[in-house]
Amino acid sequence: MDFMSSLVEQRIKESMAKGEFDNLKGKGKPLELEDNSHVPEELRVAYKLLSNAGMIPEEMVVKKEIVSLRDMIRLCRNPDEQAVLKKKLTEKELRFKMLMEARGLRQSPVFQQYETKILKKYEGVE
């Protein structure tokens, strides 16, 4: 064990002895580990920062709405409501295509791999 590791261990033990870890949020509960295996390794830090800030790219928000609308259309039994939902779906799909073209992401091999994994996750295909 190098000097820095032993110093860190010592500080942790001192803090534990003082009870500084006794009132931490989530104490006694299992950790909620985030599965980011679907995110390419080179995008994980950026994804984590955005996620922690409560933000995701607009195209992913729109894509999630598209998946929800498709589910709603599939479950809807009222033809009039179904027509309204289909119109909303068309608008969202158009918006998604515009966002993708504006960002030039369709040509990025990294994004294509990432998009495939995200779509599988949203659609529950994994």
Side-chain angles (χ1 to χ4, degrees):
M1 189 180 299
D2 66 353
F3 173 74
M4 186 57 83
S5 295
S6 64
L7 180 62
V8 169
E9 287 292 324
Q10 179 185 349
R11 296 287 168 99
I12 290 173
K13 288 177 183 175
E14 288 172 6
S15 294
M16 286 173 66
K18 292 178 187 175
E20 293 177 4
F21 297 132
D22 291 347
N23 296 316
L24 294 176
K25 179 181 170 188
K27 181 181 178 190
K29 297 178 184 173
L31 291 175
E32 292 179 25
L33 300 177
E34 192 173 306
D35 177 21
N36 63 359
S37 61
H38 61 282
V39 179
E41 197 170 318
E42 61 273 14
L43 296 176
R44 287 183 185 161
V45 172
Y47 178 85
K48 184 69 174 166
L49 288 171
L50 288 171
S51 178
N52 286 346
M55 302 178 70
I56 59 172
E58 184 180 359
E59 56 270 14
M60 290 299 112
V61 172
V62 173
K63 191 62 179 178
K64 186 174 182 179
E65 292 170 350
I66 288 170
V67 171
S68 294
L69 282 166
R70 286 180 181 157
D71 288 343
M72 289 168 49
I73 290 168
R74 190 171 27 85
L75 298 172
C76 183
R77 300 293 174 238
N78 182 318
D80 293 334
E81 287 179 25
Q82 216 175 34
V84 171
L85 291 171
K86 285 181 181 180
K87 182 180 178 193
K88 286 182 183 179
L89 176 62
T90 301
E91 291 169 356
K92 294 292 181 184
E93 288 173 333
L94 180 60
R95 177 71 182 142
F96 181 75
K97 287 178 185 176
M98 290 171 56
L99 285 168
M100 297 305 287
E101 288 174 11
R103 297 193 197 282
L105 293 175
R106 285 280 178 210
Q107 290 73 36
S108 166
V110 171
F111 180 80
Q112 290 170 0
Q113 177 187 15
Y114 177 65
E115 179 186 35
T116 301
K117 290 181 179 181
I118 288 293
L119 293 177
K120 285 180 181 179
K121 183 169 182 124
Y122 277 137
E123 294 169 358
V125 176
E126 292 189 315

